[in-house]
Amino acid sequence: MKTYVVVGGAGFLGSHMCDLLIDRGDAVLCVDNLVTGAKANIEHLQPHERFTFIENAVSLSLDIDEPIDAVMNLASPASPKDYFRFPIETLDVGSLGTRNCIDLALRNDAPMLMASTSEVYGDPTVHPQTEDYWGNVNPIGVRSVYDEAKRFSEALIMAFVREHGLRGRIARIFNTYGPRMKPDDGRVVSNFVVQALRGDPITIYGDGSQTRSFCFVQDEIAGLVALADSNVVGPVNIGNPGEFTISELATMVVDMTGSRSRLVYEPLPSDDPTQRCPDITMAKELLGWEPTVDLAEGLQRTIAYFSSIDAGATGN
């Protein structure tokens, strides 16, 4: 049994990480300030003797006295809606929070996983995106509070890897979706599913030709754990290389829900990427990982989740 600190552990990704670690026999110290996370995501774990919840903002401190075996930094607002609402907090968690995670890892000579993002590639001019691509990011645009926070996190980790022997692991995550996303999350899969279940118009920004690659949450977590348990520093793309236009996604959701929702088009937000797709050669070769859940199956499971929590009811 190992003891993992999962920062952001009450969030969408973090709570699934806690599940996997507990299920395989490890102990988890779950740290979250509940700004975008929720206790409901981890309430099923609360009675477990190997699970401990610590309500704390990692950007302020990460004071854990007991010995730990690994740190997983999954803390940060991750949807545009959230990081537009909490811009300073997003920058703080990417800088101060990451530094606090690094310090805890170094005190325990423990590996540290950093959940970075495909947003470091910005609106890419290289397609699909490989880890050696430096990106095309607007450093002062409205999305920069998230993009640059993650880019700084990566730079900070690499400085400590080089100068202090930090056992860093950097994962670049691509559009994860699945159960425990918030109905009002603001990300495209949850938006489309909830709108379809309600019979509301499906809102597509731009002409719908922009592409994304969607990774089901269980696949994503398996990839993150494979990286955390390896000796690979990275960065490593952890995502599903299946590429779909936003219009294709909308049509799939409407068909799978049996919705009568119509598609409506709004102006494309500033700095919204036109295409996004990971090259996962490194993950396959170095980690032995690749996704197993295709978009159709993942959407079925996500739609079932939102239906179960009555997310399609007006006002919920």
Side-chain angles (χ1 to χ4, degrees), residues 93-246:
V93 77
S95 53
L96 301 171
T98 299
R99 177 59 190 272
N100 286 336
C101 290
I102 289 170
D103 289 344
L104 177 63
L106 286 174
R107 289 198 302 271
N108 288 271
D109 188 26
M112 176 194 160
L113 172 74
M114 177 67 213
S116 186
T117 175
S118 62
E119 293 295 328
V120 301
Y121 298 123
D123 189 5
T125 58
V126 170
H127 193 75
Q129 290 78 62
T130 53
E131 290 88 349
D132 58 359
Y133 175 53
W134 291 356
N136 178 35
V137 176
N138 179 354
I140 58 171
V142 291
R143 298 170 70 98
S144 67
V145 295
Y146 184 67
D147 303 354
E148 294 299 321
K150 293 295 189 180
R151 288 164 69 95
F152 180 81
S153 291
E154 292 192 11
L156 189 61
I157 287 170
M158 291 309 302
F160 273 88
V161 167
R162 297 182 182 110
E163 298 298 319
H164 298 284
L166 173 70
R167 295 158 63 192
R169 314 281 185 262
I170 300 173
R172 290 178 176 164
I173 295 172
F174 285 70
N175 290 75
T176 310
Y177 70 100
R180 297 185 197 153
M181 294 185 85
K182 295 183 292 186
D184 60 350
D185 185 84
R187 285 181 270 197
V188 65
V189 172
S190 52
N191 279 356
F192 285 2
V193 171
V194 171
Q195 288 172 336
L197 290 174
R198 292 178 176 173
D200 293 341
I202 304 290
T203 307
I204 296 176
Y205 295 98
D207 63 6
S209 65
Q210 64 270 39
T211 68
R212 294 294 185 270
S213 299
F214 302 99
C215 191
F216 191 65
V217 63
Q218 266 77 35
D219 279 337
E220 187 68 45
I221 294 301
L224 295 179
V225 170
L227 177 58
D229 289 347
S230 76
N231 293 317
V232 178
V233 175
V236 179
N237 291 335
I238 305 292
N240 191 317
E243 186 178 10
F244 297 84
T245 68
I246 297 302

Side-chain angles (χ1 to χ4, degrees), residues 19 57 71 128 135 181 287 293 316:
D19 284 346
V71 179
M181 294 185 85
L287 307 178
V293 179
N316 287 357

Side-chain angles (χ1 to χ4, degrees), residues 85-97:
R85 183 182 175 194
F86 301 109
I88 307 303
E89 293 85 348
T90 301
L91 289 162
D92 282 348
V93 77
S95 53
L96 301 171

